[in-house]
Structure formats: C-alpha cells, structure tokens
Amino acid sequence: MRILILGAGAVGLTVAAMLSEHAEVYAVCRKRYADAISADGFVMTGIWGEKTCRFPCGESAPAGSWDYIIISTKSAATREICEKYHHLFGDAEIVSLQNGIGNEEIIGEYTSHVIGAMIITGFEWRGDNAVFVSVDGGKTMFGRFPKGTDDAARKLSVLFNASGIRSDVSSDIKSVVWSKAFYSCSLNPLGAVMECPYGELRKAPAWNIITNIVSEAFAISKAEGVELPQKSASAYLDFLMQEKIPPTAKHYSSMYQDIISGRLTEVDYMNGAIVKLGRKHGIATPVNEMMVNLTHFKEELR
Ligand SMILES: NC(=O)C1=CN([C@@H]2O[C@H](COP(=O)(O)OP(=O)(O)OC[C@H]3O[C@@H](n4cnc5c(N)ncnc54)[C@H](O)[C@@H]3O)[C@@H](O)[C@H]2O)C=CC1
Ligand SMILES: CC(C)(CO)C(=O)C(=O)O
C-alpha cells in the first residue's frame, strides 16, 4: 500500500513512523524536519513506545500514484495543501487526519474520494525530529465522508491497527468529527486561556462556561442536520465529564501548546466554525464567540 502524508508535523510524522513498518510511506514536511530526520532518524517517545524510526520524507512529494493521501496540516493550511498537491490526488483516497469543522468539505472541492477521520491521541513536539505521544483518548476512527463506510475506510483502519494505532470505522464519520470538535471547543480554548490541564475544567466556574459552549454548539448541529452520537447537550456534557476528560485529565490542550510555542491556534475552525454557522442560521453563539476572541487575545499577548 502506498501512502503519502501531506503537511506532516507532530501527528503526521508520528503516524508516518508507525505506518512505515507496514506500508510504503512518504511524508511531505518542512525542510528542517526532513533534514533532522535524515540525519538522526525520527525519535518517538511516550505511550506508543520508545523508538527511532527511519522513513522517507522531504519538502516535496515524489511522482507516482498513491492509495491514500493523508492530510495532517493544521486546518488553516488545508486549502493551501490541496491547491499545491491536488494534481497528485488521482484515484487516491484523500484522508483528513485533522481536528476542526470544515476540512473534509474543503478537500471535497478537489476530489470525490474523501475519507473523514478523528484522532484523539496527544502528540507533542520534543525537537525537529522528535515527538512525545502523551495521551490516548480512544480509537482513531475512519469513514467515508460525510456518511457510509466501505472497503477503502476499512482497509485503512486495518493498517492502522496492524501498525499499533487502535482504530475502527464509523458509518457516520461526520458525526464523529463533530463530536470531537465539540470536545475541542469545550476544552481547548478554555484550557489555553486559563493555562490549565483538562481535569481542572471540571470545576464549577469552568464547567458553567463549557455548558454554554456545548448548548450553543448543539443548536448549530441541529440546524445543520448533523446528528451527534450523544442526543442532547446534557448527554454530551455527561459523556465529556464521565468518559472523555478522565483519561486526559492531566493533558494541556494542543491549543495551549500552540500558544506557548508561538504558533497560531485552530480556534477559528472550532468555536469560530460554530460562530460562523450561527450567523448563517440566525442562532446566537455569544459564549463561543467570547472564546474565539479570548484565544486570539491570548495569541497576541504571548
Ligand atoms: N497534536 C495533537 O495532539 C493533535 C492534533 N490533532 C490535529 O491534527 C492536525 C495536525 O496537528 P499537528 O500535527 O499537531 O500540527 P503541526 O503544526 O505539528 O503539524 C502541521 C504541519 O503542517 C505543515 N505544513 C503546513 N503547510 C505545509 C506545506 N504546504 N508543506 C509542508 N508542510 C506544511 C506545518 O509546517 C506543520 O509542520 C490539526 O488539525 C490538529 O488539531 C488532532 C489530535 C491531536
Ligand atoms: C491531545 C488531544 C487529543 C486531547 O486528548 C487533543 O485533541 C488536543 O489536545 O487538542
């Protein structure tokens, strides 16, 4: 199986390292990562094991056809990466291995072969050729976007499992992607602005804010016709409190890590997407809008 990973950073390079033992993988990444990996290999630490891996990577994609092309940029770069590489898409299945709302729709402007995915594992940079895998919040999910499942999604999931990444398929991947986006909307900006791990957000003042974020987001999912696995805002809040926060209670959100490392956050593709859809449907989303503004303010203060 030939797999191209476009915009490989913390997620994409680690996934490349894992898959490369079971498939032919090439990662397109920035020159400084490619140089460091070529010189010293890619160093993985954390819950997926400690190892130094070698796999081909570089600034541009080699010629040839691919079975899967995995996009693992931040959401802000999805369109740019599609513009730059859509000539390689051919019959390949194009997979969005990203957080946020709207990536699959952008990819869908360039191909009819879109696979949606949801990954809830933590990846933290430890140098130009090193990533620490920090937490595991559940299986990585794949499915034909927006709905349905087929051999292409199943084969990819089988490869991930064989490579040591717990995975499954969903026949409603859009719903799974939105459910993860609600998790990110709830925990990431608040954790970034308050500089605290997820577990602290269970305290009443934070939980009051999260309750409003989730209620507004649910009104938007209803208006968009996206049915989440959790049928109501209160069911979602229970799921967050009981199932999702405990395994990642000590984790500092990737948005917090983006801010302290001087990178722009993806808040515009999380709470910002809820605000934008709220305007489209005439639904007020003041708490999500506040989180967008606070996060951008925090970005400017660093
Ligand atoms: N880091 C984490 O723990 C998790 C991240 N995610 C999601 O996965 C996605 C990727 O996140 P990370 O890997 O953490 O981000 P990252 O910032 O480490 O990696 C993205 C990479 O894309 C590269 N890139 C952008 N445009 C490019 C281009 N034209 N050519 C080559 N490289 C290009 C950037 O330079 C960067 O290195 C995001 O949507 C994120 O929300 C999901 C779950 C966990
Ligand atoms: C690492 C993870 C998956 C939290 O569990 C995450 O989504 C984040 O920090 O943005």
Side-chain angles (χ1 to χ4, degrees):
M1 206 182 279
R2 295 194 80 221
I3 300 191
L4 179 67
I5 303 190
L6 292 177
V11 172
L13 291 172
T14 313
V15 166
M18 296 291 281
L19 300 189
S20 62
E21 287 171 16
H22 299 265
E24 196 183 324
V25 177
Y26 189 95
V28 174
C29 61
R30 298 300 186 197
K31 184 175 183 310
R32 70 172 209 267
Y33 305 138
D35 289 348
I37 292 168
S38 302
D40 299 317
F42 178 74
V43 181
M44 261 182 70
T45 49
I47 57 173
W48 283 356
E50 318 246 322
K51 50 186 174 180
T52 301
C53 312
R54 295 202 174 263
F55 53 84
C57 57
E59 264 190 300
S60 53
S65 62
W66 304 93
D67 298 304
Y68 296 90
I69 296 180
I70 298 178
I71 296 181
S72 69
T73 59
K74 289 277 170 52
S75 302
T78 305
R79 185 171 297 284
E80 180 200 324
I81 211 96
C82 287
E83 281 292 322
K84 197 163 172 193
Y85 292 106
H86 69 96
H87 62 282
L88 298 176
F89 285 7
D91 290 331
E93 296 291 347
I94 315 299
V95 185
S96 163
L97 193 61
Q98 300 166 289
N99 273 334
I101 291 175
N103 289 302
E104 294 82 358
E105 284 83 353
I106 293 174
I107 297 168
E109 293 175 30
Y110 298 85
T111 176
S112 54
H113 303 274
V114 185
I115 290 182
M118 187 285 295
I119 185 157
I120 190 159
T121 306
F123 304 86
E124 298 176 11
W125 285 104
R126 290 289 190 268
D128 285 348
N129 66 329
V131 169
F132 172 67
V133 184
S134 58
V135 286
D136 181 5
K139 290 178 179 174
T140 298
M141 302 298 294
F142 297 103
R144 176 66 53 200
F145 192 85
K147 259 188 200 298
T149 188
D150 47 36
D151 270 356
R154 272 190 290 273
K155 274 188 188 153
L156 190 58
S157 172
V158 167
L159 172 67
F160 269 62
N161 277 313
S163 307
I165 306 176
R166 292 191 305 133
S167 166
D168 212 337
V169 289
S170 165
S171 56
D172 195 354
I173 195 70
K174 185 170 181 178
S175 157
V176 175
V177 168
W178 273 59
S179 182
K180 169 76 194 290
F182 285 15
Y183 165 99
S184 305
C185 289
S186 304
L187 308 179
N188 282 14
L190 203 51
V193 168
M194 300 312 292
E195 304 186 348
C196 67
Y198 286 167
E200 297 292 337
L201 300 173
R202 291 176 287 197
K203 294 192 169 134
W207 200 251
N208 289 339
I209 297 171
I210 290 172
T211 300
N212 285 306
I213 291 172
V214 170
S215 301
E216 290 175 11
F218 252 80
I220 301 304
S221 62
K222 277 217 160 65
E224 281 286 301
V226 180
E227 202 176 312
L228 266 74
Q230 303 74 27
K231 298 295 170 217
S232 64
S234 76
Y236 189 85
L237 288 162
D238 285 347
F239 162 75
L240 202 56
M241 179 69 98
Q242 312 300 339
E243 287 182 43
K244 286 291 144 191
I245 296 183
T248 55
K250 293 195 177 132
H251 175 72
Y252 283 80
S253 72
S254 53
M255 207 173 268
Y256 169 75
Q257 289 156 39
D258 285 339
I259 284 177
I260 57 172
S261 310
R263 296 185 294 264
L264 289 178
T265 71
E266 289 177 301
V267 72
D268 289 339
Y269 305 87
M270 293 171 181
N271 308 71
I274 298 298
V275 174
K276 205 166 153 199
L277 290 169
R279 290 201 188 109
K280 172 179 151 194
H281 293 289
I283 298 170
T285 56
V287 182
N288 280 281
E289 189 160 4
M290 174 69 85
M291 290 320 307
V292 173
N293 284 318
L294 281 174
T295 307
H296 285 316
F297 186 28
K298 187 85 178 166
E299 287 171 347
E300 283 183 25
L301 288 177
R302 76 195 151 199

